Every structure is written in structure tokens, then in C-alpha cells.
Amino acid sequence: MQKASLPLCVGVDSHNRSITTSEAALVNLLQCAIKSRHPLLGRSIHALIIKHGLLLRPFLFNNLLNFYAKTSNDAHSLFDEMPLRRRTTFSWNTILSAYAKGANFAAAHRFFHQIPHPDSVSWTTIIVGYNHSGLFHHAILMFLRMLSCGITPTQFTFTTVLASCAATRALDIGRKLHSFIVKLGLSGVVPVANSLLNMYAKSGDTVMAKVVFDRMRLKDKSTWNILISMHMQLGQLDLALSLFHQMTDRDIISWNSIITGYIHMGYEIKALEMFSSMLKSSSLDPDKFTLGSILSACANLENLKLGKQIHAHIVKADIDISSGAVRNALISMYAKSGAVEIAQRVVQLTGTSSINVIAFTSLLDGYVKIGDINTAREIFDSLKCRDVVAWTAMIVGCAQNGLISDALEIFRLMIREGPKPNSYTLAAVLSVFSSLASLDHGKQLHATAIRLEELSSISVGNALITMYSRSGSIKDARKVFNQICSNRDTLTWTSMIIALAQHGLGNEAIQLFEKMLKFNIKPDHVTYVGVLSACTHVGLVGKGKFYFTWMKNVHHIEPTPSHYACMIDLLGRAGLLEEAYNFIQSMPIEPDVIAWGSLLSSCRLHKNVDLANVAAEKLLLIDPNNSGAYSALANTLSACGKWEDAAKIRKSMKDRAVKKEQGFSWVQIKDKVHIFGVEDGLHQQRDAIYHMISKIWKEIKKMGFTPDTDSVLHDLEQEVKEQILRHHSEKLAIAFALINTPGYTTLRIMKNLRVCNDCHSAIKYISKLVGREIIVRDATRFHHFKNGSCSCQDYW
């Protein structure tokens, strides 16, 4: 029998050993096993190699190592079985690569130091591993060590380390690399030149990026795309489009760069036009990045119709949306476009495991708009990776939906279990406490901000000023303002000016405004609302007129309805009712509810029935069910003794089913808010409260207090009027607070309507009687009562 012939030699390996056809076939099978991730096939080939006694062939052994390195954790065990003399540099580098790709850098370094003669591939392998793991500084340091050991980098080494320089904007090192590349004669190699171009572009050196681009004799699509992307990110649309139109062979990245660039700059319509042009003028199909960007444009435009068309294209093209950018963009588009129920269906079909923060926030906003915060909470609770943005969005969503306690509960949970709150989280929670006027909670959060080292944040500082101001502590607001002296922006100055104005410190507010101008801080329209409001609260009519003119002529700020309302209020409070009416008539914009409401309020204050009738009529034409207009007119008539006319207005109000806004006062004691209405008999401490107010009433009358029965705008007996006055909501709240707080504490009372004349006078006497400061916040401002006087100087 004839003996089987040996396999033919088809090549040589790295050591000039011949490679047979059978070895080549086995290696091809191993490559198939790697590509298909088929470990069983690879192990079968391993068994076949052993059976035929080919295990000691270095070429086969190295390919087996490569298979195990890419499909399992057994590569090192196989490497240990390999005789030392048969191990090649490839063998060592294969194991090293497995450790580096797995980000096991401790093991990689230990193994690296065992390699007899590490070559450029060995060094590059660890550099690549660091780069892919986002450890860019480590990649750069490893590269520098490689150079110090006298190892010449390969093209691949340069492209990798330049990518790390681009990611960290390490421009100085990048420039040195550029010089080295030129010395080695690699600057003409397209991948290296592209990496240099990318490094300069991302590091902000646009001049050198253009120099590298212009010097490149050979350019591929990546070259053009890098420069187009750079110009788009810098907002240089003309330059980006010029390069785009010069390209003879555009790929999908070229189109995506222009489309996403337009969207980032807020030009969604242009992005959609470019997308349409791509579909018409090229044979390219949009990829997931294109579709995600276009869906984002639809979301920003709230264009539901076009968004649905894009969704139909995705379904028709059989694009998988179970996860990734397209799925998240779809959810955002539907939620932002008012179709939150469809967004919810997408979530139900694809699950919540990979919803990103943008999609979640869009969903949350959608649910908040329809008042369904519970579903948003369910999704939030199901998210695997909840970053600080998701937590903040959930807190703000609850607060905006009126679920203050839920917002605070989530914030406390975040402190215990979640990521460290950032400045935006703290500012958001501070705004919650501002709306609650909860000074104790606000102080606790202030301490949290100090502990988290976020006090230097301008947004936190501004939020603290607002919180302290709205909680009645102007002293603490001033303290925060003074602490952030080196970091103030327009909002900081504005917040403090408004705070001073609300607390009746109009002259101080104006002085601060003048100081702001000396520091060359440009005021905005909100700043001027604060300044005009400050003038209003202290009756500085001349200064108010001056600043209104200055706002228009010097700072070129067009007055808004808020500025006009401030001027009407300023003139009206000062008794200049005819001038206020003429001012309304001369306004270049249509007067709104606030404008006529301000005039009506002043008419009631100064008992001008004729003008009150005009203002009420105008106000009711705009808002027929405005209870404030009916009440203010009826009260004006009552104050002038026209009881029958007032009764007719109240009957008209009743016939039209217009409900008057009830007056309430509230006070927070030990984390609980206690609310009182006039003649309130529901509180569990009712008897003690009424006994206390009766006692106070007798004492302040002895001190000279005379009840202002004109404040009761009904035709009743004097004794009945006095009883009603005694049981006004703010007086009941003060009596309750006096019973339940230590004698040295400041009382802080909140009220939803303007404090009446009788209460204002009574509280001045009460503050002197009990020897305590009483701070009352009504609908428009703060009153600080102390030792028998009020900060408003009886002008409010």
C-alpha cells in the first residue's frame, strides 16, 4: 500500500517555518469559530490538532491562543502548557491583548514585565487597552515610557495615542507627537494624518487643523468629515457646507455631521431639509445616528406628523429599536410632541432597561403636563442606571406637579442611595423650599450644599438668596449675597434687588442696582422689574419714572407687561389714579388683566368708585370670571358706603357662579404647616387659640389700639364687625404660633391675600406686646413687625 504523502507547503510563518495546507485549513476554521463566537467548534479543532500531533506547531498554537483569548478565559492556561522555547512574541502579545481588552491592567502589567523582549506591538497593546477603557492619561503616560525605552512606535501606536490626546485636549503633547511623526516621515500616511487632524480639531487649535488638512496630498472621507464636524461644532456653517459640497464621495458620516450640527445649533428646519436632500440626491440609507438625530429635530419642533413618518420608515426598514439611540429618540419625540401615550407604548414594547436620561426626562415632562406623575415614578424606579440628571428631573417633576412631599422624599432617597447631588439638584430642591417658604428645611439644605462643596456654584448661591428671601430671612439672603461677591452674575444681583424690594427695603434695592451698574453688570428685563417694584413699595414715583425711561433709552430694553404693571401700581399706590389711567391708555401694547387689576386695586385703596367701575369693566371684558375684579369693585363701593351697589355686585357674582378667593394664613411649626381661615373653628387647638386672641385683643386695646371697622366691607353692627376682625386668619395664625413656640423666636406668617388695614395695625401692637418680631408675607410683599412698627412704614 502506498504511504500517504505529506501535506503540501503553502507558505511560511513568522519564523520561516513552512505552513502546510492542513494547518492553513485548521487556521481558517479557527477564524470562523472566532467570528461566529462558536466555542464548541474551536474546541473540536483543538482536539483535532492534538489528535494529529500538530500542537507543537507554533503557527497553529498561536492561532489556538488567539481563539481562546477572544472567546473564553482559557488562553492563559493554554499558554502555560506551551514550551518556553516555542513561545513567540505573538504568543506573549496574544495573552497581553486579552488582559488589556478586558481592562485587567494589573494582570496586563504583570504579564508585560514577563515578556522576554517586548516589541512595539506589546507596548501598543496596553496603550490601546487604556484608550478603549477611557483611561486616556494612562495611555499617554505608557506611550512616553515606550519612547524612553527606545521602542519605535508604529502607525497604529500614533493613531491611538493621538486619539487619547484628542479626548483629553492634551495639545502640548499632541504638538510634540506631530514633530516626531514628521521626523519619522509618517505625516503623509493618511490614518496618522487624520488622527493629527482630529487631535487639533478637538483640542481647539483650528489653525493647525487647517494646516494639516491643506498639507495632506491624499485625503479620504474621514479627512473631510473631521474638518466638517469641527466647523459645525464651532458654528461655522458656511465653512462646513463649503467643504461638504467639495466632497466628491460623501458617506453617511458626512451627512450626519451636517444634520446633527444643524440640530445642536437649533436649526432643526435646516436639518430636516438636509435629510430630505440626502434621501433625494444620494443612494445612502439613513443609519441609526441619522434617524436618531432627525427624530430629535422632530421632538424639538414638536412635529408629531413628521415624527410618525420617520417611525413608519424605521418599521418598514426593519430597524431594531429594542434599545439604543433610535428607541430613545422615538420616546422623546412622542413625549415632547404631546403623544405621551404612544411614547408609553414604545416603552412597554421595548422595556425600560436602557432608557437614557433624555428620553426619561422627555417622558417625565409629558407625564407632568397631563398630571400623571405616578407612571413617571414607576419608570424612574425601574431604571437600572439613574444618574444625577434623572434624579433631578424626577424631583423637579414632582415639585412642578405640586407633589412637594414626594419631591423631598426622593431628594432624601438620593442623599442616602443615589449619586451625589450636583448644583442643579440643589438649586431645584431649594426652589421647592422657596415655594414652601420653609426656612428650617432651607437651612438644612444650605448645610448640605456646604458639605457637598457646592456653595461656590452660582446657581446654588442664587437659589439660596431666593429661598431665604421668600422664607422671610432677608438677613440670611444678604449674607449669602456677600459670600458670593466674586462670582456674581446678573441673576445674583437681580435676585438680591428683588429680595430687598419684597421686604420693603426699596432704597437699599436701588442703591444695590446703582452699585451693579458701577461694576458694569448689564441688567436684564427682570432686573428692571425688581427696580420698579422697589420704587413702588416705598412710593418713589420720580425715581420709578426715571428708571422706566432709562431702561428703554440707555439699556434698550423694551418694556414688557410686567414693567407696565409696575408703573401702573407705582402711580396708583401714590394716589395718582388719573395719571395711572392715562398711562394705560398710552401703552403701545394691549393692557392685560394685571394692568387693569393694578389700577382697580389702587382705586379700592383710594376709594375712587368711578375709575374702579371703568377698571373692573375692562378687566371683566378680558376675563369674565375674574373673582378679584368683582370683589375689588364691591369692596370699593362698600368702603365708600354704597352698600346697595356693593350688594348688587356680590349678587351678580353669585348669579354668575363666580367664587371669591378665600383668604388663608398659614404658619409652619415643627415640619407641619397649619392653615387658618377667617373665623376658623376646625383646628384641634381652637379653644386655646380663641382664648389667646381674646386676651391679646383686650391687651392691645388697653395700649391704644382702635379696631378699624371700615376694613369689614359689609353693612353690619359695630360689635359684629369687631368680632370678625378679631378672628381674621392672620390673627388666628399668630395666636397659634405664640402658644406653640418659645418666647424668643421670630414668628413667620404667610397669607395669600393683601393684609388688611386692621390686621396691619393690630400686628404692630401685638409685636410690642409680646416683644417678638413677627414677619408676615402677604400677596405682594413682606412686613417685618417689631417693637410696634412695620418695615413698610405703613405704605403698602
Side-chain angles (χ1 to χ4, degrees), residues 261-366:
Y262 272 137
I263 294 168
H264 287 155
M265 282 181 280
Y267 299 133
E268 281 82 5
I269 300 295
K270 287 187 177 292
L272 293 173
E273 289 171 355
M274 185 59 71
F275 176 66
S276 176
S277 176
M278 183 189 101
L279 296 178
K280 290 175 184 174
S281 63
S282 78
S283 59
L284 295 168
D285 291 322
D287 64 7
K288 291 182 179 181
F289 296 103
T290 324
L291 295 168
S293 297
I294 291 302
L295 284 168
S296 294
C298 295
N300 294 341
L301 294 169
E302 297 184 8
N303 190 330
L304 182 60
K305 184 179 178 182
L306 183 57
K308 283 184 173 180
Q309 291 175 7
I310 302 298
H311 192 178
H313 172 83
I314 291 167
V315 173
K316 194 180 290 183
D318 197 26
I319 294 171
D320 179 25
I321 62 161
S322 60
S323 63
V326 176
R327 180 272 199 114
N328 283 310
L330 261 178
I331 295 168
S332 296
M333 183 275 296
Y334 280 122
K336 285 186 177 179
S337 303
V340 71
E341 67 286 350
I342 303 178
Q344 188 175 352
R345 229 174 294 148
V346 175
V347 173
Q348 288 169 347
L349 288 170
T350 59
T352 60
S353 59
S354 60
I355 292 181
N356 68 7
V357 173
I358 296 171
F360 169 71
T361 307
S362 301
L363 265 177
L364 180 60
D365 289 342

Side-chain angles (χ1 to χ4, degrees), residues 681-708:
L682 299 176
H683 198 278
Q684 59 186 7
Q685 288 182 259
R686 178 193 179 282
D687 293 341
I689 293 167
Y690 274 68
H691 177 73
M692 172 64 81
I693 198 63
S694 179
K695 181 182 174 184
I696 289 171
W697 195 257
K698 289 174 185 175
E699 292 297 325
I700 60 175
K701 285 179 79 173
K702 288 179 186 177
M703 294 168 66
F705 167 69
T706 302
D708 182 5

Side-chain angles (χ1 to χ4, degrees), residues 218-271:
L218 296 174
K219 298 180 177 74
D220 61 8
K221 293 174 188 176
S222 294
T223 315
W224 293 88
N225 290 339
I226 291 165
L227 212 60
I228 289 169
S229 178
M230 180 189 79
H231 287 309
M232 289 303 281
Q233 287 173 4
L234 293 171
Q236 298 167 338
L237 297 175
D238 293 342
L239 292 173
L241 286 171
S242 174
L243 288 167
F244 178 78
H245 291 305
Q246 288 176 51
M247 288 183 74
T248 54
D249 185 20
R250 304 180 192 113
D251 61 8
I252 194 66
I253 297 171
S254 315
W255 290 94
N256 285 349
S257 296
I258 299 292
I259 291 168
T260 56
Y262 272 137
I263 294 168
H264 287 155
M265 282 181 280
Y267 299 133
E268 281 82 5
I269 300 295
K270 287 187 177 292

Side-chain angles (χ1 to χ4, degrees), residues 5 29 42 107 176 186 203 311 326 352 363 398 408 414 451 463 501 511 594 647 664 712 796:
S5 59
L29 285 171
K176 290 172 183 175
L186 296 174
S203 300
H311 192 178
V326 176
T352 60
L363 265 177
C398 287
L408 298 180
M414 182 183 185
R451 192 170 66 251
Q511 287 170 15
I594 298 172
F664 293 102
V712 180
W796 84 98

Side-chain angles (χ1 to χ4, degrees), residues 462-476:
N462 293 342
L464 279 169
I465 291 170
T466 303
M467 183 277 296
Y468 278 124
S469 169
R470 289 183 181 175
S471 301
S473 183
I474 192 67
K475 179 183 174 183
D476 286 315

Side-chain angles (χ1 to χ4, degrees), residues 528-710:
Y528 270 105
V529 170
V531 171
L532 295 174
S533 177
C535 295
T536 299
H537 287 311
V538 289
L540 297 172
V541 177
K543 273 194 175 291
K545 289 179 178 179
F546 170 76
Y547 285 125
F548 185 77
T549 305
W550 209 24
M551 174 184 75
K552 293 188 293 181
N553 297 342
V554 176
H555 289 118
H556 308 293
I557 296 171
E558 282 300 310
T560 67
S562 296
H563 297 117
Y564 288 118
C566 283
M567 289 302 295
I568 296 162
D569 201 21
L570 172 68
L571 296 168
R573 282 175 193 256
L576 304 170
L577 298 176
E578 288 298 328
E579 188 176 345
Y581 179 68
N582 292 334
F583 182 85
I584 291 176
Q585 297 291 83
S586 67
M587 282 165 54
I589 62 172
E590 196 68 30
D592 60 7
V593 170
I594 298 172
W596 289 116
S598 295
L599 181 62
L600 183 55
S601 178
S602 296
C603 291
R604 182 187 65 184
L605 183 66
H606 295 285
K607 300 179 182 179
N608 187 322
V609 174
D610 294 336
L611 201 51
N613 273 309
V614 174
E617 184 183 344
K618 296 285 188 181
L619 200 161
L620 291 170
L621 279 173
I622 302 170
D623 183 6
N625 294 316
N626 191 298
S627 63
Y630 287 102
S631 297
L633 182 56
N635 292 344
T636 305
L637 291 165
S638 297
C640 295
K642 299 189 176 186
W643 303 109
E644 289 183 10
D645 291 338
K648 286 177 184 177
I649 296 296
R650 292 194 175 98
K651 185 178 183 303
S652 173
M653 189 176 177
K654 187 176 180 181
D655 292 342
R656 293 175 185 231
V658 177
K659 291 186 178 180
K660 178 186 174 184
E661 185 181 2
Q662 297 297 310
F664 293 102
S665 296
W666 62 95
V667 60
Q668 183 176 328
I669 308 287
K670 293 180 180 177
D671 290 344
K672 187 176 180 182
V673 176
H674 298 263
I675 303 172
F676 299 89
V678 66
E679 295 282 358
D680 199 322
L682 299 176
H683 198 278
Q684 59 186 7
Q685 288 182 259
R686 178 193 179 282
D687 293 341
I689 293 167
Y690 274 68
H691 177 73
M692 172 64 81
I693 198 63
S694 179
K695 181 182 174 184
I696 289 171
W697 195 257
K698 289 174 185 175
E699 292 297 325
I700 60 175
K701 285 179 79 173
K702 288 179 186 177
M703 294 168 66
F705 167 69
T706 302
D708 182 5
T709 52
D710 288 342

